[in-house]
Amino acid sequence: MTDLSTQLLEKAHGGAKLNPDEQRRYLGTFEERVLGFADIETANSPEFQKGFLSILESFQEQEQPLFLKINPKIEFDKQVFYLKQAKEADCQATIVSDDLTSSPFGLIFHTDHVTQINEKNLKVTFSNLWEDQKEESTKKSIWKKWFG
């Protein structure tokens, strides 16, 4: 039989957690449930914001139920945008609490069961969102065309 005070302390702190470091890293979920993630810099980029709806629809075709966790370190207007888009697409979205902000990730798409996905980095998986930016930057100026 366990000591009553030990049992009360465990219940008061939410009980024992399985892999607490992994849960902190992935904004409160387990790695095997993660469908895709974006770091904070990527989540703040305008290219990612433009392609967010297509990413969301792609994941909704793959898995149900779909959840989105948002790091509070993302710019406020982008947090609101992601929440609004997710709600309109019937995806449950949450801005996580400040105690999970040590995570390097800005956004986590996940489900409630184990998934088998090899590449979870959204910047790699949806690299076509960043190709347009690279093409624009490789255009030569008129001066380089004439003189160079």
Side-chain angles (χ1 to χ4, degrees), residues 96-107:
V96 298
S97 63
D98 288 332
D99 61 336
L100 297 173
T101 58
S102 63
S103 172
F105 304 120
L107 292 173

Side-chain angles (χ1 to χ4, degrees), residues 6-24:
T6 306
Q7 195 172 20
L8 283 173
L9 283 172
E10 284 180 7
K11 300 294 182 189
H13 289 89
K17 285 196 172 192
L18 190 63
N19 293 337
D21 292 332
E22 182 177 301
Q23 286 185 359
R24 273 192 295 278

Side-chain angles (χ1 to χ4, degrees), residues 35 57-64 117 126:
L35 299 169
E57 290 170 352
S58 172
F59 282 132
Q60 281 186 318
E61 291 172 5
Q62 291 176 14
E63 296 287 341
Q64 286 296 331
I117 296 179
F126 295 93

Side-chain angles (χ1 to χ4, degrees), residues 37-118:
F37 58 78
D39 59 15
I40 294 172
E41 181 183 335
T42 302
N44 282 329
S45 73
E47 295 87 11
F48 186 82
Q49 187 175 1
K50 288 177 189 172
F52 178 75
L53 192 56
S54 64
I55 293 170
L56 183 62
E57 290 170 352
S58 172
F59 282 132
Q60 281 186 318
E61 291 172 5
Q62 291 176 14
E63 296 287 341
Q64 286 296 331
L66 181 65
F67 303 97
L68 173 66
K69 295 212 175 163
I70 304 169
N71 192 326
K73 289 183 180 178
I74 294 176
E75 296 171 9
F76 181 74
D77 58 329
K78 299 226 181 351
Q79 289 179 27
V80 172
F81 173 80
Y82 296 139
L83 277 172
K84 184 179 176 184
Q85 292 293 321
K87 183 173 178 150
E88 289 174 1
D90 277 342
C91 172
Q92 185 178 347
T94 307
I95 298 174
V96 298
S97 63
D98 288 332
D99 61 336
L100 297 173
T101 58
S102 63
S103 172
F105 304 120
L107 292 173
I108 300 275
F109 285 98
H110 72 94
T111 188
D112 63 353
H113 56 274
V114 176
T115 61
Q116 297 293 330
I117 296 179
N118 293 331

